[in-house]
Amino acid sequence: MAIDATSPYDHANIFAKILRGEIPNRTVYEDEWALAFHDINPAAPTHILIIPKGAYVSWEDFSARGSDAEIAGFVRAIGHVARSHDLVTPGYRLLANVGGHGGQEVPHLHVHLFGGRPLGPMLAR
Ligand code: 5GP
């Protein structure tokens, strides 16, 4: 079920539990601002989720309330993960689902990083 991106932050969501270390994950990168880990159900040879450490429901919430340092740190972490996985030359895709029409399922902002093969058209038509 897609979530409502305007809901208050739910500290029991699965990515909050991952950030607190209550649920295992396959971490590929972590810094002060972000955690990156493999998606449990990969849709491409490389499918990594990058999440901010702060409690933000969605891109909407983060872009409205996140500090400049949090936003800069998160964006730089995404770039770092792509570079460290040698995805820049072949290319890759970033995706952030937001709310109902976006199909967002986990109510903690996450950016999907896909790579490792040609990814096809942007959206199903
Ligand atoms: P959304 O549809 O919200 O953009 O994407 C949520 C993503 O989180 C999905 O791709 C799903 O496979 C992934 N996911 C859901 N639960 C877990 C989990 O417990 N661990 C990991 N690593 N990924 C998860």
Side-chain angles (χ1 to χ4, degrees), residues 14-15 18 23-26 37-42 47 49 96-97 102-107 110 112:
I14 198 100
F15 293 169
I18 284 176
I23 290 180
N25 74 91
R26 292 169 56 216
F37 51 94
H38 289 285
D39 195 291
I40 204 167
N41 185 22
H47 184 174
L49 300 171
N97 294 319
Q104 181 180 1
E105 291 178 352
V106 178
H110 47 285
H112 297 256

Side-chain angles (χ1 to χ4, degrees), residues 49-79:
L49 300 171
I50 303 116
I51 67 175
K53 289 217 165 151
Y56 297 100
V57 175
S58 68
W59 192 273
E60 162 52 27
D61 190 19
F62 191 55
S63 60
R65 290 197 303 114
S67 70
D68 291 356
E70 287 176 304
I71 291 169
F74 183 57
V75 171
R76 288 197 188 284
I78 295 169

Side-chain angles (χ1 to χ4, degrees), residues 83-96:
R83 285 190 294 277
S84 66
H85 285 75
D86 295 325
L87 292 172
V88 177
T89 299
Y92 60 95
R93 182 171 294 164
L94 301 175
L95 175 73

